[in-house]
Amino acid sequence: MNEFHGIILYEIERNGNLNGVYTNNHPFTNSRIFTETATLRGEVSFEGEIETRIYDCFYFDAVDGATNCTLIFRIINGIYQGQWIFDNGDVIFIGEGFQMNDRQIAISYWLP
């Protein structure tokens, strides 16, 4: 497979949770659109200029079906740096993107 990459567009709900649609170039997905939901876990934290948001995440894909993980966003200078992590600590994907308006976040992601 060529270098794996994808894109996800999140809709920000009023309670801070996220609903996303995504696609990627995995050969089994054929650029189909899949869904992801992310529930904000606790409060947003700040360490200096870095804002951190942690979510309980659930997504569907053509290979693994339903998948649970943790999504962590670290926001530095307006850039969203994301990691999707299994409970055992394995990083599934990493990504980077921007909040596009008051209600949307766009993230490009790839394998670590």
Side-chain angles (χ1 to χ4, degrees):
M1 175 170 51
N2 292 336
E3 184 178 334
F4 175 89
H5 58 273
I7 190 161
I8 185 163
L9 179 63
Y10 291 106
E11 186 74 23
I12 305 167
E13 302 297 322
R14 294 191 187 278
N15 57 8
N17 296 337
L18 305 174
N19 286 310
V21 292
Y22 71 92
T23 192
N24 56 53
N25 68 333
H26 192 285
F28 294 149
T29 63
N30 297 319
S31 297
R32 287 185 286 169
I33 302 293
F34 294 93
T35 61
E36 177 182 310
T37 58
T39 303
L40 188 60
R41 185 191 302 167
E43 296 292 318
V44 174
S45 66
F46 293 88
E47 186 177 321
E49 298 290 319
I50 301 171
E51 179 180 343
T52 301
R53 300 178 189 174
I54 301 174
Y55 300 86
D56 292 317
C57 185
F58 179 76
Y59 65 88
F60 295 95
D61 72 29
V63 178
D64 298 317
T67 302
N68 291 301
C69 64
T70 298
L71 168 60
I72 301 173
F73 280 143
R74 288 184 180 83
I75 306 159
I76 305 165
N77 262 358
I79 300 171
Y80 280 64
Q81 298 175 342
Q83 288 189 322
W84 291 258
I85 305 169
F86 283 132
D87 287 342
N88 68 3
D90 289 346
V91 177
I92 310 165
F93 306 112
I94 56 176
E96 193 169 82
F98 295 93
Q99 185 164 339
M100 303 306 291
N101 53 47
D102 289 345
R103 309 293 323 149
Q104 294 180 315
I105 301 168
I107 303 288
S108 174
Y109 65 93
W110 54 92
L111 296 174

